Amino acid sequence: MRPSQPVGSRQRELFPRSKCTTITLPDDHPLVVLTELLDWTELEAQVQRIRRKKLKSAAGRPPHLRILLGVLVLMALRKKPYRETEEQVGYYVPARYLCALTESDWTPDFTTVNNFAVLLGQEGVKLIHESVVDRAVELGLWSTTSGLCPIPTPTTGAATAWRMSRALRSWGSRRWDWPPEDGPSGQCGAQCESG
C-alpha cells in the first residue's frame, strides 16, 4: 500500500518549510524604541506596590508582571480591546518584543489581561499613562492627534464584560464584531470607536 499524500499537494516538497520563522526587527520601530527607553524595573516595582495594596492574600502563582505590563502598554497605545490585543501579541513580532515574549511561545489570554487591569484599577492606568504613553508622545513615537485612549478600567471593563456576556447569550453562535453597537462606556466614549 502506498503512503497517502496530503490532499491538495501533487508533489512533496524537497525541503519542508519551517514553521519557526526568523524575523529581524528594525531598530527604529516605535515599539522597539519604546521598549528600550522605558525603565521596566521601576515600572514593575510601582505595579507590584499597587498590587500588594489591593491583594488580600499572597497565595497563588505570581503574575508575569513584565509581560502583562507590556500588554497593557500596547492596549493603551493601540486602543485595542482585550481580544484583539491578545491576537496582536500572539502574532505581531514588535508587540511580542514590547511584552518580552520573543523567546517564548506563550501568550497571555484576554481574561488574564482583563483581571490584571481590573486589579490595577485607576491607579495603574494613571501609572501607565504617566510613565509610558506620555513618554511615547514626548519622544515623538506616538501622536496626540490619534486620540490616545486609556486602557479599560474596572468601570469601563465591567460594563464591557457585562455587554459581551449579554451579547453572546442573546446572539448565540452568530458572528460577533467588536465593539458592540452601543460602543464602550466610561472615560473613552466615542474616541475608542474611531480607533
Side-chain angles (χ1 to χ4, degrees), residues 54-80:
K54 296 187 177 190
L55 284 180
K56 296 178 182 173
S57 169
R61 228 173 53 192
H64 304 277
L65 287 180
R66 171 64 179 83
I67 295 168
L68 292 170
L69 274 171
V71 174
L72 292 181
V73 166
L74 185 67
M75 283 182 73
L77 292 172
R78 295 286 171 102
K79 301 185 296 181
K80 300 282 184 196

Side-chain angles (χ1 to χ4, degrees), residues 11-99:
Q11 181 178 350
R12 295 180 191 258
E13 292 186 29
L14 184 59
F15 300 105
R17 282 187 227 154
S18 172
K19 292 183 180 168
C20 183
T21 61
T22 304
I23 299 173
T24 306
L25 287 170
D27 291 335
D28 61 344
H29 190 283
L31 290 178
V32 172
V33 173
L34 186 64
T35 303
E36 299 299 324
L37 292 177
L38 289 176
D39 184 1
W40 291 100
T41 308
E42 176 60 29
L43 202 56
E44 281 182 49
Q46 290 177 355
V47 165
Q48 190 68 284
R49 280 193 291 275
I50 294 170
R51 189 174 163 273
R52 284 193 180 126
K53 275 195 285 184
K54 296 187 177 190
L55 284 180
K56 296 178 182 173
S57 169
R61 228 173 53 192
H64 304 277
L65 287 180
R66 171 64 179 83
I67 295 168
L68 292 170
L69 274 171
V71 174
L72 292 181
V73 166
L74 185 67
M75 283 182 73
L77 292 172
R78 295 286 171 102
K79 301 185 296 181
K80 300 282 184 196
Y82 291 106
R83 288 183 191 253
E84 285 183 31
T85 304
E86 175 189 358
E87 186 172 327
Q88 196 164 42
V89 168
Y91 299 108
Y92 184 53
V93 178
R96 291 191 71 77
Y97 186 78
L98 176 73
C99 299

Side-chain angles (χ1 to χ4, degrees), residues 139-179:
L139 294 169
L141 300 172
W142 255 262
S143 71
T144 53
T145 58
S146 64
L148 293 174
C149 178
I151 59 175
T153 61
T155 54
T156 61
T160 302
W162 178 80
R163 274 199 313 278
M164 284 172 57
S165 65
R166 182 185 67 186
L168 288 173
R169 272 186 266 126
S170 65
W171 293 334
S173 62
R174 287 191 285 171
R175 188 168 180 282
W176 186 71
D177 290 325
W178 182 262

